[in-house]
């Protein structure tokens, strides 16, 4: 474990002073601890020298496409790869979802009209970014930010749905170059008894992404709990928020498989308590096979959708008991799911799903468009097939657009006691302007076991995590965006009202989540808040709806 933990010498800011306003500040003499003292040009130069020239000024990714800065080759690359998450992760001036690059209407969108006639602005990009290559670079950045009370952000895969890895007027610690994946057959966390038996484990760094970890693990003939998305950073906000994935049901959440990090960092949220440079996860023997099924059901009308959704909900508990897991999508025109059983048998498909599929075939208002069952030789191969099934021909999620989401953890008890009420709520969500509902059938099983970490305990009672996305085209007015995001929060209230004792997965939650402290952290919030006051009392690390966001440092 490599964690840079912050103590009482750390400072933060709540009111940013831009370099244009305060270019002569060479030392911090602010009387208000919530104010920043913007470093002088010489101070920035000294920082850059101390980290071997790795201080960057992030440039908007679309800048080469604007009239005054046009570069044909660079613009062609930006236009062709704008929605490619593996390209965006390596752009200092881009995050995965373009709306977080904008500050109101101020920014640098990739829009033909704007590029020809408009002006590319920095928008919500940070002032500076430290592209750290060593833990020493991270330490230098943190010390510098503390000295000048700068707003410090942490960026790994830049997947935050709350825009936590970028903010105007901030400095970012960019961990992409911290990459090294190594395995051990005899890992023992610090503090273990000398005679305690070691475990099979993989150590990853903050710049490693899950696609690379999965491929390395497959070569090693082991599996590890990680994200479905391959461009999510393996040691960043993913695990610090809890971390779910396709095999969580079998082995637990990512935070459950990482005893190497401090309690608060396993579920307390990323970018809040410090910068995690590396993390070590438990690994497990590779599966002998993976049984996968992909089913697409077409309803003829709204009543048929309601009924098939109810029946689908009713079988989830039994599927969980038989070690099924996976993902699904509900639209007005389709119910699609891709599920897997690690180390399963093909006969289990008929035994567990046969009744449901027979019911569907007997209904005049339902048509099975696809019902494939296949044995895959490894988890890696199943994941590739599932990615193609869900993301289309490109077999990878598309990013670069404007996206905001809301989510809810659905308890097993709700699904078993109130299947029709839940089905009706889902149909009502679709009727409230949400085009699709993404379902993550990743809880239950091992996730249901209590763990000594900061993960919200409501995870232990859930079977599903439901995600509601909304998006808008470039150029949509701020007023129209506000209407959409308020509609999203309202639609999610239909699920909140039905599951009042549950909560939301903080990494994939509504930016405007009501009562976020309870929803994201549950009974753990007060303990996390106490830890925050000790390790970062002046809120150097701050982000929207994170632990400490409601602490006044003045």
């Amino acid at each position: 474990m490599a964690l840079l933990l912050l103590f009482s010498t750390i400072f933060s800011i709540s009111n940013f002073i831009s370099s244009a306003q305060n270019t002569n500040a060479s030392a911090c003499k602010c009387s208000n601890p919530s104010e920043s003292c913007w470093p002088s040009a010489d101070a920035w130069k000294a920082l850059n020298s101390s980290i071997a020239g790795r201080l960057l000024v992030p440039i908007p990714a679309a800048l080469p496409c604007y009239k005054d800065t046009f570069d044909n080759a660079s613009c062609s690359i930006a236009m062709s790869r704008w929605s490619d998450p593996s390209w965006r992760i390596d752009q200092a001036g881009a995050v995965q979802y373009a709306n977080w690059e904008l500050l109101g209407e101020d920014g640098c969108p990739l829009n033909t009209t704007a590029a020809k006639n408009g002006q590319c602005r920095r928008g919500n990009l940070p002032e500076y970014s430290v592209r750290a290559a060593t833990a020493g670079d991270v330490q230098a950045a943190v010390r510098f930010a503390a000295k000048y009370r700068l707003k410090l952000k942490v960026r790994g895969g830049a997947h935050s749905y709350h825009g936590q890895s970028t903010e105007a007027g901030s400095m970012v610690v960019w961990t992409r170059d911290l990459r090294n994946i190594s395995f051990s057959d005899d890992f023992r966390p610090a503090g273990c008894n000398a005679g305690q038996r070691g475990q099979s484990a993989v150590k990853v760094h903050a710049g490693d992404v899950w696609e690379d970890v999965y491929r390395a693990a497959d070569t090693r003939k082991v599996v590890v709990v990680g994200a479905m998305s391959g461009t999510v950073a393996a040691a960043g906000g993913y695990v610090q928020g809890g971390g779910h994935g396709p095999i969580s049901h079998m082995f637990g959440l990512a935070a459950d498989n990482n005893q190497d990090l401090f309690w608060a960092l396993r579920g307390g949220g990323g970018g809040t308590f410090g910068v995690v440079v590396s993390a070590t996860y438990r690994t497990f023997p590779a599966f002998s096979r993976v049984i996968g099924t992909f089913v697409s059901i077409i309803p003829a009308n709204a009543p048929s959708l309601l009924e098939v959704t109810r029946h689908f909900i009713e079988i989830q508990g039994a599927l969980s008991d038989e070690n099924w897991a996976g993902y699904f999508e509900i639209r007005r025109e389709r119910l699609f799911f891709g599920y897997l059983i690690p180390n399963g048998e093909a006969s289990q498909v008929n035994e567990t799903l046969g009744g449901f599929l027979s019911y569907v075939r007997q209904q005049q208002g339902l048509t099975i468009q696809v019902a494939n069952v296949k044995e895959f030789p490894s988890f890696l191969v199943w994941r590739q097939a599932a990615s193609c099934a869900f993301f289309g021909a490109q077999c990878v999620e598309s990013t670069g657009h404007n996206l905001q989401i809301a989510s809810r953890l659905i308890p097993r008890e709700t699904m078993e006691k109130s299947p029709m009420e839940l089905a009706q709520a889902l149909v009502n969500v679709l009727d409230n302007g949400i085009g699709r509902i993404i379902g993550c059938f990743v809880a239950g099983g091992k996730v249901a076991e209590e763990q000594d970490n900061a993960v919200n305990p409501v995870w232990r009672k859930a079977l599903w995590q439901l995600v509601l996305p909304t998006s808008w085209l470039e150029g949509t007015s701020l007023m129209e965006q506000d209407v959409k995001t308020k509609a999203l929060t309202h639609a999610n209230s239909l699920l909140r009202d039905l599951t009042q004792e549950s909560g939301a997965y903080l990494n994939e939650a509504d930016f405007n989540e009501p009562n976020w402290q309870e929803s994201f952290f549950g009974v753990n919030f007060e303990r996390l808040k106490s830890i925050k006051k000790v390790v970062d009392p002046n809120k150097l690390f701050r982000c929207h709806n994170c632990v400490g966001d409601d602490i006044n440092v003045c």
Side-chain angles (χ1 to χ4, degrees):
M1 184 273 293
L3 167 69
L4 304 180
L5 195 60
L6 305 179
F7 294 96
S8 58
T9 55
I10 297 300
F11 298 91
S12 66
I13 63 170
S14 60
N15 299 310
F16 176 74
I17 302 173
S18 72
S19 56
Q21 294 172 309
N22 194 13
T23 56
N24 296 320
S26 59
C28 194
K29 299 179 181 178
C30 303
S31 58
N32 188 335
S34 70
E35 294 179 351
S36 70
C37 301
W38 192 250
S40 67
D42 286 343
W44 286 112
K45 184 176 180 180
L47 172 63
N48 190 41
S49 178
S50 72
I51 56 175
R54 302 187 70 83
L55 182 67
L56 309 175
V57 176
I59 302 299
L63 181 67
C65 297
Y66 278 67
K67 180 179 179 181
D68 293 340
T69 51
F70 183 76
D71 180 88
N72 186 60
S74 298
C75 180
S76 295
I77 293 173
M79 294 186 70
S80 64
R81 302 196 65 185
W82 192 254
S83 61
D84 181 354
S86 61
W87 176 77
R88 298 186 74 85
I89 197 175
D90 286 323
Q91 307 306 307
V95 292
Q96 294 296 352
Y97 298 103
N99 46 306
W100 301 116
E101 300 168 13
L102 303 178
L103 189 62
E105 295 180 338
D106 190 13
C108 190
L110 185 70
N111 176 286
T112 302
T113 301
K116 286 182 178 179
N117 305 313
Q119 183 177 0
C120 176
R121 300 181 183 276
R122 295 183 53 78
N124 199 40
L125 295 183
E127 296 296 311
Y128 290 96
S129 178
V130 172
R131 186 161 186 164
T134 66
D137 293 343
V138 176
Q139 291 171 320
V142 170
R143 292 190 188 107
F144 186 85
K147 178 178 179 180
Y148 294 100
R149 298 170 183 164
L150 302 180
K151 190 179 298 182
L152 188 64
K153 315 296 283 187
V154 184
R155 169 180 170 162
H159 273 273
S160 172
Y161 293 106
H162 289 180
Q164 293 177 2
S165 56
T166 186
E167 186 173 350
S170 70
M171 183 175 79
V172 167
V173 176
W174 189 12
T175 61
R176 177 59 174 153
D177 286 350
L178 295 169
R179 281 179 271 179
N180 185 29
I181 302 169
S182 60
F183 293 86
S184 172
D185 294 324
D186 190 30
F187 174 74
R188 293 180 176 86
C192 288
N193 297 328
Q196 185 172 336
R197 184 176 180 180
Q199 296 180 329
S200 172
V202 58
K203 182 178 181 180
V204 300
H205 285 73
D208 291 312
V209 294
W210 281 112
E211 181 69 33
D212 295 335
V213 177
Y214 287 144
R215 292 185 180 278
D218 186 70
T219 300
R220 185 83 176 190
K221 307 229 178 276
V222 295
V223 293
V224 57
V225 174
M228 183 64 183
S229 172
T231 53
V232 168
Y238 167 77
V239 62
Q240 293 171 64
H244 69 71
I247 58 175
S248 291
H249 176 277
M250 193 165 189
F251 300 121
L253 299 171
D256 300 337
N257 285 279
N258 190 322
Q259 303 302 313
D260 192 36
L261 297 179
F262 291 110
W263 182 87
L265 290 177
R266 290 180 286 120
T272 304
F273 298 97
V275 184
V276 174
V277 175
S278 67
T280 301
Y281 294 92
R282 185 180 179 185
T283 59
F284 304 89
F287 305 133
S288 57
R289 73 187 72 81
V290 173
I291 301 300
T293 183
F294 301 96
V295 177
S296 181
I297 300 169
I298 310 301
N301 48 46
S304 296
L305 174 62
L306 177 63
E307 281 301 312
V308 73
T309 301
R310 176 174 70 86
H311 279 78
F312 185 62
I313 292 168
E314 289 175 338
I315 67 171
Q316 298 304 299
L319 294 180
S320 177
D321 293 341
E322 292 295 323
N323 292 322
W324 283 98
Y327 302 88
F328 61 91
E329 181 183 80
I330 302 174
R331 299 175 182 257
R332 292 180 184 84
E333 66 275 10
R334 184 181 79 154
L335 166 63
F336 175 77
F337 62 95
Y339 282 6
L340 76 158
I341 308 180
N343 293 329
E345 299 289 344
S347 60
Q348 289 179 266
V349 177
N350 188 57
E351 293 169 0
T352 54
L353 279 170
F356 172 71
L357 295 178
S358 294
Y359 156 79
V360 173
R361 292 188 178 99
Q362 293 169 11
Q363 306 306 305
Q364 291 186 347
L366 298 173
T367 303
I368 296 180
Q369 187 179 53
V370 176
N372 293 333
V373 178
K374 186 175 180 180
E375 180 178 311
F376 296 90
S378 68
F379 168 69
L380 182 67
V381 176
W382 173 86
R383 183 180 160 276
Q384 290 170 336
S387 296
C388 294
F390 281 99
F391 300 135
Q394 74 275 15
C395 298
V396 66
E397 63 183 321
S398 175
T399 60
H401 53 282
N402 302 305
L403 178 71
Q404 198 157 316
I405 65 173
S407 70
R408 194 69 178 172
L409 290 165
I410 309 299
R412 178 169 180 159
E413 183 179 19
T414 300
M415 299 169 71
E416 293 180 340
K417 291 185 176 180
S418 307
M420 178 53 84
E421 290 85 348
L422 178 56
Q424 186 65 67
L426 297 181
V427 172
N428 290 345
V429 165
L430 296 176
D431 290 340
N432 274 265
I434 304 302
R436 60 183 178 134
I437 299 167
I438 302 166
C440 306
F441 181 32
V442 294
K446 200 73 173 177
V447 174
E449 297 181 7
E450 297 294 331
Q451 301 287 336
D452 184 20
N453 57 33
V455 170
N456 191 339
V458 298
W459 264 107
R460 311 306 173 185
K461 298 179 180 180
L463 274 190
W464 279 359
Q465 186 218 1
L466 298 180
V467 179
L468 317 182
T470 192
S471 60
W472 53 89
L473 297 175
E474 192 174 289
T476 299
S477 70
L478 295 180
M479 182 177 296
E480 291 175 282
Q481 293 177 35
D482 185 60
V483 169
K484 278 186 166 287
T485 56
K486 285 181 177 177
L488 176 69
T489 301
H490 172 72
N492 200 38
S493 72
L494 302 174
L495 302 179
R496 290 197 306 273
D497 291 345
L498 188 63
T499 59
Q500 294 184 22
E501 301 302 315
S502 191
Y505 174 42
L506 65 94
N507 279 350
E508 296 171 357
D510 188 354
F511 185 83
N512 301 308
E513 180 77 16
N515 191 23
W516 60 269
Q517 298 93 332
E518 175 69 21
S519 182
F520 296 171
F521 305 103
V523 296
N524 291 330
F525 179 73
E526 290 302 325
R527 181 179 173 186
L528 288 165
K529 188 173 180 178
S530 297
I531 293 171
K532 176 70 171 180
K533 288 180 178 179
V534 172
V535 302
D536 186 14
N538 294 304
K539 295 171 57 176
L540 177 68
F541 292 96
R542 281 182 298 159
C543 47
H544 177 74
N545 285 0
C546 297
V547 173
D549 194 27
D550 58 347
I551 297 175
N552 189 342
V553 299
C554 297

